[in-house]
Amino acid sequence: MEEQFILRVPPSVSERIERLFNENASSSSEDASLDLSFEEDGRTGTFLIGNERFPAALLDLPCVVESYKTYDDNVLIKTADVGQMIMIREEGDPSPEEVEYRHGLTPPMRDARRRRFRREPNLNPELVQRVERDLLNIMSGGTVENADYNEPASIGDRKKAAAGPAAKPEVIPVEAPPTGGEPEKSDSDDSMDPEN
């Protein structure tokens, strides 16, 4: 697999980079050099194109992006899993506050972490450690510490409980039809009546 990263730049810088790649290497231009260097923290740095400097930041993407290439326009070959992006900003733009980029690479992945992924459970670390210890004890043939469990009822007790008297269903009184006069009709009964 190859090593790849995503470089996101402002429109003005992308035009200069495209022009630089399209020109011959022998032609001299003011944008003849590209350089990217990071500070000791590994997250902030500087992007240099020609004599102009731009602030850069290494950000984690909310999900892994697979990269593919093709040689014959029929078969795609996976070349890398990309999980980070280098974002180049204009000098006046604010720097990102978090190390994880909030959005994905495409519009459907906007605010992906909040909209598309399950929330992380709010677990007590002590409870997790205790359960892990108990599982390791059980796997090594031991018992669980401080376990609270109920004894299951024996088979005879369950049969006795099932053989007890069954509850009688509740009786619902039915109203008697009114006496005398005509019985109530619906509109559909009128259409069937030959007198009308």
Side-chain angles (χ1 to χ4, degrees):
M1 290 248 257
E2 300 176 0
E3 289 187 15
Q4 299 178 1
F5 63 89
I6 295 169
L7 182 68
R8 181 166 277 184
V9 296
S12 62
V13 177
S14 74
E15 292 171 4
R16 292 169 69 180
I17 291 173
E18 186 176 355
R19 201 173 3 174
L20 178 67
F21 287 147
N22 290 336
E23 290 178 356
N24 292 335
S26 60
S27 66
S28 62
S29 153
E30 76 258 3
D31 295 337
S33 66
L34 287 176
D35 187 33
L36 179 64
S37 60
F38 285 95
E39 297 174 6
E40 290 184 17
D41 66 353
R43 290 284 178 175
T44 57
T46 305
F47 179 72
L48 182 70
I49 181 167
N51 295 328
E52 198 168 349
R53 295 176 179 273
F54 295 94
L58 178 68
L59 302 173
D60 297 333
L61 292 171
C63 60
V64 174
V65 177
E66 295 179 345
S67 170
Y68 294 89
K69 69 179 172 185
T70 181
Y71 295 106
D72 59 359
D73 292 331
N74 287 326
V75 178
L76 292 174
I77 301 168
K78 181 177 175 180
T79 56
D81 287 327
V82 182
Q84 293 181 319
M85 169 179 64
I86 299 173
M87 180 175 280
I88 310 299
R89 305 181 315 274
E90 294 285 351
E91 194 62 44
D93 292 346
S95 62
E97 298 173 5
E98 297 179 1
V99 295
E100 183 179 74
Y101 188 58
R102 186 174 162 187
H103 312 294
L105 298 177
T106 58
M109 291 296 288
R110 182 148 191 83
D111 204 9
R113 178 68 64 190
R114 183 183 60 81
R115 291 187 317 119
R116 295 187 180 261
F117 298 137
R118 181 178 57 162
R119 309 290 183 265
E120 291 185 12
N122 194 8
L123 296 176
N124 182 359
E126 295 171 1
L127 175 66
V128 172
Q129 289 175 354
R130 193 180 85 210
V131 169
E132 183 180 0
R133 266 195 320 269
D134 290 343
L135 285 173
L136 291 173
N137 284 342
I138 291 170
M139 288 172 42
S140 65
T143 60
V144 178
E145 300 172 10
N146 301 327
D148 294 332
Y149 62 94
N150 296 330
E151 291 281 335
S154 66
I155 296 173
D157 293 342
R158 278 187 258 159
K159 285 184 180 177
K160 289 177 187 174
K168 293 183 180 178
E170 184 179 335
V171 177
I172 301 172
V174 178
E175 292 182 18
T179 57
E182 292 185 20
E184 292 184 21
K185 293 183 179 179
S186 67
D187 293 337
S188 60
D189 291 339
D190 290 340
S191 64
M192 301 296 285
D193 194 10
E195 295 174 8
N196 290 340

